[in-house]
Amino acid sequence: MRLTIDAQLPELTSHLSTLYIRLNGDLKQPLDAVAALLENSTRKRFETKTAPDGSKWAGLSLWTLYAKTAKNGRTRGSILVDRGDLLKSITSHATESMAEVGTDRVYAAYLQTGTAKMPAREIFGLSEQDHSDIRASLGEWLQTIWSK
């Protein structure tokens, strides 16, 4: 199962197209930085419990709270974190033409989109801050390229 969220930054497309030609089709260096930035942003969502659009994730259901509560009354983990397998599985990858962030955990698709009995808790996607950070990162990279 593969879940793909495709996001574009149209204001950068023409600049990157020009650079793509100038650099013989290899944008791996700046896309490595973008992939790392997005991986960090995705991981941070587990801390802030916030979707890319800024909305808070839905709280745990009573059943889930019960299932996560040990006999001593302490609750194990938090929303989308039980033992940390999903969080640990978040990785990023870049090639000369794309950057991606993902997981090999099949159940992440159900968490991302929700089910009939569970609200969506979006992990993947671009926030406004991500857009801003990507622009800044690419801007810095462009400055170094143009100043050579």
Side-chain angles (χ1 to χ4, degrees):
M1 176 184 292
R2 183 179 181 110
L3 170 70
T4 301
I5 298 170
D6 190 15
Q8 304 290 327
L9 297 172
E11 64 275 16
L12 296 174
T13 301
S14 64
H15 294 297
L16 289 177
S17 294
T18 302
L19 281 172
Y20 185 79
I21 293 166
R22 184 173 173 184
L23 298 172
N24 297 319
D26 188 0
L27 294 175
K28 186 161 182 353
Q29 184 182 3
L31 291 175
D32 274 335
V34 168
L37 192 154
L38 292 175
E39 180 180 339
N40 289 335
S41 175
T42 301
R43 289 178 181 281
K44 189 172 183 176
R45 290 193 183 104
F46 287 82
E47 295 171 24
T48 63
K49 312 295 184 214
T50 306
D53 69 1
S55 63
K56 288 289 187 184
W57 288 347
L60 295 173
S61 71
L62 290 177
W63 185 91
T64 303
L65 279 172
Y66 176 76
K68 286 178 157 263
T69 303
K71 289 180 179 164
N72 65 6
R74 296 188 68 196
T75 303
R76 179 182 77 237
S78 62
I79 300 173
L80 301 192
V81 179
D82 190 12
R83 292 176 182 85
D85 293 341
L86 177 61
L87 181 57
K88 290 175 195 169
S89 74
I90 303 294
T91 59
S92 60
H93 173 73
T95 68
E96 64 279 348
S97 61
M98 64 97 190
E100 67 181 1
V101 175
T103 177
D104 61 355
R105 301 298 187 256
V106 175
Y107 59 88
Y110 303 112
L111 301 172
Q112 179 78 17
T113 60
T115 67
K117 295 184 178 184
M118 181 185 69
R121 294 180 178 101
E122 293 181 45
I123 305 164
F124 301 106
L126 291 175
S127 68
E128 286 302 316
Q129 186 63 52
D130 292 335
H131 280 269
S132 178
D133 292 346
I134 290 168
R135 286 182 194 104
S137 176
L138 290 176
E140 291 169 13
W141 182 77
L142 287 171
Q143 285 294 81
T144 62
I145 292 298
W146 296 132
S147 63
K148 286 184 179 179

